[in-house]
Amino acid sequence: MFYMYFFDFDSFWSELLWIMKFNILLSLFFTIFAIGFFIAIIWIRIYKNLRNEKKKEQHELLIEFLNSFLFDEDFEKEKEIRKFKEEHLRSSLEIKVTIKEILHFHENLKGESARELEALFSKLGLVEYILLDLKRGSWYTTARAINALSELCIVVPDHQIEIYLNDPRNEVRQQSQLYSLKLANENPLQFLNKTVRPLTTWQQIYIENALKNFYKGPPPDFSQWLDHELLSVVEFSIRMIARYNQFEHIQKLLPFIKHQSDIIRWEAINSLSSLEYTELLELIIPDFKKNSRLIKLEILEAVNKLGSHEELKRIGDQINTTDWELRIKYLNIEQGFLPDKKERIYSQFMLEKQFGI
Amino acid sequence: MKKILVIEDNPMVIKSLEFKLTKDGHDVIIANDGREAMKLLIENEYDLILTDLMLPFVTGNELISYIKKNTPNTPIIVLSTSTQENIIMDAFNMGVDDFITKPFSPNELSLRVKRLLSKS
């Protein structure tokens, strides 16, 4: 029977119940799907292994090439560069590994070797590849390309980087800011004039760090950004005035202790106190009660730094007895002013706390 | 040929140091971590030791203490990313002969190695 059906598929199929047909088709579908899935996994694995193998090969080749290029006096540079470019920079993977490896070397070396690596990068034609990367569209490719340009100090026309200063992605903005800062001749923070997106706290730290580590020229006059339309830029400038001890701008900072934004007021008090502007206390103590807790705590800190016990006592009456955060801060500072009465202050504090005064 | 032990865990730095120092005519022995370095230090003596401070298993400071206790005349150069004054001071107080910060200039390092080897 089966033998007959085997040769006569049409009659076999037409005589089957619909549920049987459905089951057979479903089984076939899943079998093909499972085989396809299995082949895909194997293929991806093989592809990845081959890619890793190629990466490893290129990596080893580069270590040999770069070390010879940098340290071997008998190495025929021009000829070898040409040969390397023709034979080992053909695929996108080879180019990517080469860029990564040159950056890695550059990160660890300085002096003449670093300069030679920068020259090699151009000679291998990698700058053109990086410039193409800039335009590829994905944010991580752009950020990586700008990072490579700034790491290797490769100067490109301003407009090619400026467009990324206000990119929607933080990472791209950060890299373009670093590029502008590292390659600036005069004003390293000139990019702030073109910035329309707020600086995140992390970006502010990053800029400060880059300014300290990469910029070798004279520090910029930070007061030029005190009237910037972005509060985050104003906040950053106030902080930098204190960090770079620009005492000449103290008068310009004074209006900010009355600013409507708590963050700006806090930064101004903190910076003026860092600059040891003792007249600050006369300006902030009378308004103590009107401020938020954040500012009140900073005022107490300023009194601790610049003031005396008498000035602290002027604040004491203005602190709500149940505001424990402020009370504790106040009593801690008082302990510092009156070390001989430390124990009495502490027992008074415990007593107050016990009775919830 | 002077024997130099390089204790470093960054493969790129290892290769560069090995290449440069071999070119300068030295016999370079590599240890990739503190434990391997300790084993090599127990088995052999070296004319100069070039070490990182942040190493896996045994730290650079522990290695320096060991070297100074057992072979006090072996010159030590520290090659580290650290630029903190207290770390540099600590290293000199432990008796290291030179401190080079990363990123480093291979030519400068080569000269410092030569100077220390000629002294010793």
Side-chain angles (χ1 to χ4, degrees):
Chain A
M1 187 79 164
F2 180 78
Y3 182 77
M4 192 182 79
Y5 280 134
F6 186 73
F7 286 99
D8 190 1
F9 179 78
D10 287 343
S11 54
F12 164 74
W13 186 252
S14 58
E15 282 172 27
L16 279 175
L17 287 173
W18 72 268
I19 190 77
M20 286 296 286
K21 285 180 186 171
F22 179 72
N23 277 343
I24 290 169
L25 287 174
L26 212 59
S27 311
L28 262 173
F29 171 75
F30 278 112
T31 310
I32 292 165
F33 179 76
I35 292 168
F37 191 68
F38 182 72
I39 290 170
I41 288 173
I42 299 284
W43 185 82
I44 288 168
R45 198 61 249 172
I46 291 170
Y47 174 76
K48 209 175 167 190
N49 282 349
L50 286 173
R51 205 176 147 87
N52 284 345
E53 200 58 43
K54 184 75 204 152
K55 265 189 195 173
K56 202 177 154 196
E57 221 172 84
Q58 183 78 357
H59 172 81
E60 276 163 16
L61 194 80
L62 270 162
I63 286 194
E64 194 59 39
F65 175 75
L66 292 175
N67 276 319
S68 304
F69 174 80
L70 292 172
F71 311 125
D72 190 351
E73 282 154 18
D74 303 327
F75 191 73
E76 290 178 58
K77 289 185 179 174
E78 295 304 321
K79 187 183 150 199
E80 292 296 331
I81 289 172
R82 212 176 313 119
K83 194 175 158 204
F84 188 88
K85 202 174 163 182
E86 280 164 16
E87 292 173 13
H88 305 292
L89 285 181
R90 286 173 303 190
S91 69
S92 161
L93 179 72
E94 286 173 337
I95 294 174
K96 274 182 192 162
V97 175
T98 307
I99 292 174
K100 199 175 161 191
E101 208 53 45
I102 293 180
L103 282 174
H104 192 199
F105 263 71
H106 192 268
E107 214 172 88
N108 283 288
L109 302 175
K110 69 174 180 186
E112 198 192 328
S113 307
R115 300 294 84 75
E116 280 190 65
L117 284 172
E118 287 159 19
L120 174 69
F121 197 83
S122 298
K123 283 180 187 166
L124 287 174
L126 298 171
V127 177
E128 287 77 20
Y129 185 83
I130 289 281
L131 292 177
L132 279 177
D133 254 3
L134 265 184
K135 294 167 193 158
R136 270 188 231 271
S138 53
W139 67 266
Y140 49 88
T141 318
T142 309
R144 206 168 44 201
I146 304 174
N147 178 265
L149 291 174
S150 61
E151 283 295 319
L152 296 164
C153 302
I154 298 165
V155 183
V156 294
D158 286 349
H159 68 271
Q160 282 187 302
I161 302 297
E162 269 173 18
I163 50 168
Y164 300 108
L165 284 171
N166 293 304
D167 194 88
R169 296 288 305 202
N170 274 346
E171 296 84 349
V172 176
R173 285 208 303 276
Q174 199 162 303
Q175 288 306 328
S176 54
Q177 286 162 356
L178 178 68
Y179 173 90
S180 308
L181 193 151
K182 272 183 91 172
L183 278 88
N185 291 323
E186 285 171 7
N187 190 348
L189 300 181
Q190 205 160 22
F191 66 86
L192 289 176
N193 297 331
K194 290 164 189 159
T195 300
V196 293
R197 284 181 187 267
L199 298 176
T200 61
T201 309
W202 178 240
Q203 276 175 327
Q204 292 181 32
I205 296 169
Y206 197 71
I207 296 170
E208 186 185 345
N209 193 42
L211 204 55
K212 212 184 292 169
N213 295 316
F214 302 122
Y215 178 68
K216 306 288 176 221
D221 172 357
F222 292 100
S223 70
Q224 61 185 296
W225 296 289
L226 287 177
D227 54 0
H228 199 283
E229 57 185 26
L230 291 175
L231 283 186
S232 55
V233 175
V234 178
E235 179 196 357
F236 175 72
S237 309
I238 295 174
R239 193 181 316 133
M240 289 303 106
I241 286 175
R243 291 269 204 281
Y244 282 82
N245 292 329
Q246 296 185 341
F247 294 100
E248 64 276 21
H249 300 317
I250 284 180
Q251 291 303 320
K252 290 182 189 167
L253 290 186
L254 294 179
F256 292 100
I257 57 179
K258 307 259 184 223
H259 199 275
Q260 55 188 11
S261 156
D262 262 10
I263 295 168
I264 298 292
R265 267 207 315 278
W266 185 93
E267 201 62 65
I269 296 171
N270 185 279
S271 295
L272 284 164
S273 143
S274 297
L275 291 168
E276 297 185 355
Y277 181 65
T278 45
E279 290 89 334
L280 170 72
L281 298 181
E282 275 314 308
L283 300 169
I284 54 177
I285 292 176
D287 290 340
F288 182 84
K289 215 169 183 176
K290 291 180 204 161
N291 283 298
S292 64
R293 175 178 291 147
L294 176 79
I295 306 295
K296 282 177 181 167
L297 286 166
E298 195 49 37
I299 293 175
L300 279 169
E301 200 48 62
V303 174
N304 186 27
K305 208 166 180 185
L306 307 171
S308 62
H309 187 224
E310 290 309 311
E311 274 152 335
L312 184 72
K313 279 201 289 189
R314 284 170 63 197
I315 293 178
D317 304 333
Q318 300 182 58
I319 296 176
N320 195 333
T321 46
T322 53
D323 195 337
W324 286 105
E325 200 182 350
L326 284 175
R327 292 285 301 161
I328 292 168
K329 180 96 182 165
Y330 176 87
L331 291 167
N332 272 335
I333 295 170
E334 195 173 36
Q335 279 183 358
F337 282 129
L338 305 167
D340 49 326
K341 292 180 183 163
K342 205 170 177 175
E343 241 170 63
R344 189 188 60 75
I345 295 169
Y346 182 70
S347 47
Q348 186 196 331
F349 161 66
M350 290 308 287
L351 205 68
E352 280 182 16
K353 198 172 181 184
Q354 193 182 344
F355 289 104
I357 300 165
Chain B
M1 197 181 257
K2 301 278 187 183
K3 258 169 91 175
I4 300 178
L5 175 64
V6 173
I7 313 165
E8 173 65 60
D9 59 343
N10 180 337
M12 180 254 131
V13 177
I14 292 175
K15 285 278 176 192
S16 294
L17 290 174
E18 190 179 13
F19 197 97
K20 178 74 182 160
L21 295 172
T22 308
K23 271 267 158 207
D24 289 348
H26 307 300
D27 180 13
V28 183
I29 295 102
I30 305 288
N32 292 292
D33 59 57
R35 202 158 49 191
E36 201 182 327
M38 197 60 107
K39 204 177 149 204
L40 287 168
L41 284 165
I42 294 167
E43 288 166 1
N44 303 293
E45 281 200 3
Y46 300 92
D47 295 302
L48 187 136
I49 291 157
L50 194 60
T51 181
D52 192 357
L53 288 179
M54 305 276 280
L55 291 163
F57 309 120
V58 180
T59 66
N61 282 349
E62 286 170 319
L63 285 174
I64 294 165
S65 302
Y66 177 84
I67 299 160
K68 284 292 152 195
K69 198 175 161 190
N70 294 286
T71 50
N73 295 326
T74 309
I76 304 172
I77 299 179
V78 171
L79 184 62
S80 170
T81 44
S82 179
T83 50
Q84 279 173 282
E85 198 184 331
N86 60 332
I87 293 177
I88 300 173
M89 293 293 283
D90 282 350
F92 278 112
N93 284 334
M94 288 174 85
V96 304
D97 299 84
D98 212 340
F99 196 106
I100 298 173
T101 52
K102 287 183 206 165
F104 66 99
S105 158
N107 291 334
E108 185 189 332
L109 180 125
S110 165
L111 282 174
R112 291 191 191 207
V113 167
K114 261 182 217 163
R115 186 179 59 90
L116 279 177
L117 285 174
S118 63
K119 264 190 195 174
S120 64

